[in-house]
Amino acid sequence: MFKKIFTRWTHKYDAKTPTQHANQFYFEIIHQSKKSKARVGVIHTPHGTIDTPSFVSVGTNGSLKALDNAFIEKEPGSRLMFCNTYHLLIHPKVDTVVKAGGLHKYINRSSPIITDSGGFQIFSLQTHTNKVKELKGASGKKFENNSGNLIVKINEDGAIVRSYRDGSKFLLSPESTIQAQKAFGSDIMIPLDELLPINVSHSRLLESFDRTHRWEVRSLNEHLKNKNSPTTGLHQAMYCVVHGGMDRELRSRSIDLLLKEPFDGVSIGGSLGSDRSELVDILSYIMPRVSSPMLKTIHDLSTNKRRNILCDYPNHVLGMGDLDSVLGFLQLGVDTFDSAYPTRLARHGSLLAFQEDTPSHVLESIKTGDVSKLTYMPKIIQKKVHQNVYSQNYSTIDTSCGCYACRESYSLSYLHHLYKMHEPTFSTLSTMHNLYFMNKVMEIKRHLIMNNYV
């Protein structure tokens, strides 16, 4: 038999436990740009609100490398964090998180959390032959036990997979991934799906497509048995995952199949092309088909009053968040997106900054937090502090930045030194900066959309 990763758990929820936010989930559109499909909105969850469009930081194991969760909430202002079910199933295991009172308490985070089924990590990390260039996909990460593929077998039941720690096998099914996510108490859950590389045959794509959609419905049915977490007692939402690769007909079919079901939001999964032009092309086709804004009267539990709002399915682009791609697809109406892009850049010595010839009044507006006068997004560059050109540069990373590293005047020269000496402090300071910068870019972008500049 396969290794038992988690057991049935019981946790008595205290209905008297106070919660800071209303126990409900909905998405409210605040403004639709007159210039593009871009929009500004607010996702309401039991653990607080998420202003959109928004970057979602990736904390696979319940943590962003080099930073603690309490700091992440206060300093960079990351409103939504992505954690991976596959990794958490293996360690620390579900029972450990449940005993702590749920994932929020376990990792010391009060703001919203989204959890993946684990499918992306498993399928993207497996070995593929005849790999071609793809914008989203395998990271090249090596497994600790050198066991090769994480996938042992895929069938209707789910995926028999290996632990990335010791190579032991277990079944990851649509039901088991949702049971785990419900036990974690995440605000938004993602159903089990299969991620295929861009160059698979059409017959293989069709086989995966049909099975993935059956998996998604099974995942949803498991969730609908009780929409609240058995651990926290709080309401949880589930997004569907639109598939079909670069095949427009399959993408349409996926949308038609999934939007018939009572999912709470839509995520865009599968291959999104080999370059940014293909990414924008396929998203240009998908986004109008997953959006259907409507006026709705809701009972706002936070105020105990009824009010009329313009609502829609919130949407999320999975695993895509480099700035060039982001600035290209936000105008299509993307609400949230996740990526390890800024943190990975930081650890490898690349720091995000506005170009130094940006007009001083623009930089001053950003520095003081008054972005209301901006009419465009300043050009963004990467300062690669591992390069020797920064060894005698005593400026801060970005004069407009209010992150801890810039506020405390850590120089590029010092950061260059830390990087060269492999000091862990470098990863902490650089990650602080890149996360803060990414969230500042999103704040500016929301302002530009609100004022119809985008």
Side-chain angles (χ1 to χ4, degrees):
M1 293 297 292
F2 304 117
K3 182 179 179 181
K4 195 172 186 181
I5 295 296
F6 61 90
T7 58
R8 284 285 180 182
W9 49 83
T10 57
H11 178 84
K12 186 177 180 182
Y13 169 66
D14 181 2
K16 297 180 181 179
T17 301
T19 55
Q20 184 178 357
H21 304 278
N23 189 24
Q24 60 186 154
F25 180 95
Y26 63 93
F27 176 56
E28 179 179 8
I29 299 175
I30 304 299
H31 179 76
Q32 174 70 60
S33 173
K34 294 179 173 62
K35 190 173 183 179
S36 70
K37 298 293 184 183
R39 61 191 189 181
V40 171
V42 179
I43 301 174
H44 297 258
T45 82
H47 286 97
T49 58
I50 305 151
D51 294 326
T52 68
S54 182
F55 162 72
V56 180
S57 54
V58 176
T60 300
N61 288 296
S63 173
L64 274 69
K65 289 181 174 61
L67 296 182
D68 73 88
N69 291 320
F71 177 86
I72 291 167
E73 286 190 90
K74 295 174 184 176
E75 178 78 11
S78 296
R79 294 297 303 154
L80 184 59
M81 180 178 177
F82 212 115
C83 299
N84 185 264
T85 299
Y86 163 73
H87 284 77
L88 295 173
L89 276 173
I90 293 170
H91 200 279
K93 297 183 171 58
V94 174
D95 290 340
T96 302
V97 176
V98 169
K99 288 176 182 176
L103 191 57
H104 289 82
K105 288 186 177 179
Y106 186 69
I107 69 173
N108 194 26
R109 178 176 173 82
S110 60
S111 298
I113 294 174
I114 179 173
T115 46
D116 186 1
S117 66
F120 175 80
Q121 293 290 338
I122 296 167
F123 291 108
S124 67
L125 291 177
Q126 67 177 316
T127 302
H128 293 295
T129 57
N130 301 318
K131 284 283 288 181
V132 296
K133 180 184 176 184
E134 185 166 4
L135 202 55
K136 178 174 75 172
S139 66
K141 180 178 179 180
K142 302 297 183 184
F143 310 123
E144 293 181 14
N145 62 344
N146 297 315
S147 58
N149 275 352
L150 291 178
I151 300 292
V152 177
K153 184 179 180 180
I154 303 171
N155 56 32
E156 196 64 30
D157 292 335
I160 299 171
V161 301
R162 295 183 189 275
S163 163
Y164 69 91
R165 288 174 62 85
D166 59 16
S168 58
K169 303 174 188 176
F170 65 98
L171 174 66
L172 197 64
S173 73
E175 291 79 14
S176 68
T177 60
I178 295 306
Q179 290 163 7
Q181 291 181 75
K182 294 193 75 63
F184 292 150
S186 52
D187 298 275
I188 302 169
M189 303 178 292
I190 303 293
L192 183 64
D193 63 327
E194 182 179 6
L195 174 65
L196 294 179
I198 193 172
N199 61 329
V200 296
S201 67
H202 189 66
S203 60
R204 176 72 181 89
L205 179 62
L206 281 175
E207 176 192 15
S208 172
F209 179 93
D210 290 336
R211 181 170 53 227
T212 284
H213 286 77
R214 291 192 294 270
W215 282 356
E216 291 196 51
V217 172
R218 284 169 54 189
S219 297
L220 177 63
N221 289 337
E222 183 66 28
H223 165 55
L224 293 178
K225 291 177 181 178
N226 183 355
K227 292 184 179 181
N228 294 342
S229 165
T231 307
T232 67
L234 297 178
H235 182 84
Q236 293 176 283
M238 179 182 285
Y239 287 12
C240 61
V241 186
V242 173
H243 273 274
M246 301 303 291
D247 188 316
R248 291 190 171 199
E249 183 179 341
L250 284 181
R251 288 288 184 177
S252 282
R253 184 177 154 200
S254 178
I255 293 165
D256 291 341
L257 287 168
L258 295 171
L259 293 194
K260 291 177 182 177
E261 304 291 341
F263 287 101
D264 301 290
V266 179
S267 56
I268 315 301
S271 175
L272 294 173
S274 59
D275 56 37
R276 292 187 184 95
S277 64
E278 290 188 357
L279 167 70
V280 172
D281 181 65
I282 194 65
L283 287 180
S284 296
Y285 180 79
I286 294 170
M287 297 310 298
R289 290 164 173 77
V290 298
S291 178
S292 55
M294 64 182 72
L295 285 172
K296 186 176 179 180
T297 301
I298 66 156
H299 181 196
D300 190 337
L301 296 179
S302 63
T303 60
N304 199 29
K305 294 181 179 178
R306 297 174 69 83
R307 63 189 183 95
N308 296 321
I309 66 169
L310 182 62
C311 65
D312 196 1
Y313 291 111
N315 64 68
H316 180 92
V317 175
L318 288 163
M320 189 65 61
D322 65 281
L323 274 172
D324 288 336
S325 296
V326 168
L327 297 178
F329 65 53
L330 284 183
Q331 64 186 20
L332 303 176
V334 170
D335 298 317
T336 57
F337 56 93
D338 69 277
S339 177
Y341 166 79
T343 52
R344 186 184 298 116
L345 276 184
R347 295 193 304 276
H348 289 85
S350 291
L351 306 180
L352 300 170
F354 293 116
Q355 190 161 283
E356 291 177 357
D357 63 359
T358 302
S360 58
H361 71 277
V362 172
L363 295 177
E364 184 63 24
S365 294
I366 297 171
K367 183 176 182 178
T368 58
D370 181 16
V371 299
S372 61
K373 298 176 183 177
L374 299 185
T375 59
Y376 69 97
M377 178 70 71
K379 186 175 180 179
I380 299 166
I381 62 171
Q382 293 181 26
K383 294 186 176 180
K384 300 182 178 181
V385 294
H386 55 81
Q387 296 176 346
N388 289 334
V389 68
Y390 290 101
S391 65
Q392 303 297 315
N393 190 324
Y394 300 101
S395 302
T396 57
I397 306 167
D398 187 301
T399 58
S400 69
C401 184
C403 80
Y404 176 81
C406 292
R407 195 170 66 241
E408 297 298 322
S409 301
Y410 287 101
S411 71
L412 290 163
S413 174
Y414 179 58
L415 293 168
H416 169 83
H417 161 70
L418 292 177
Y419 181 88
K420 290 294 187 180
M421 295 299 102
H422 308 289
E423 289 287 348
T425 305
F426 173 80
S427 292
T428 299
L429 292 172
S430 62
T431 303
M432 283 178 180
H433 170 79
N434 275 6
L435 273 181
Y436 186 99
F437 188 90
M438 195 77 175
N439 285 311
K440 178 60 68 174
V441 168
M442 290 299 101
E443 180 188 345
I444 295 171
K445 200 70 175 178
R446 289 192 292 270
H447 157 72
L448 296 177
I449 296 169
M450 282 291 293
N451 290 276
N452 304 307
Y453 295 120
V454 174

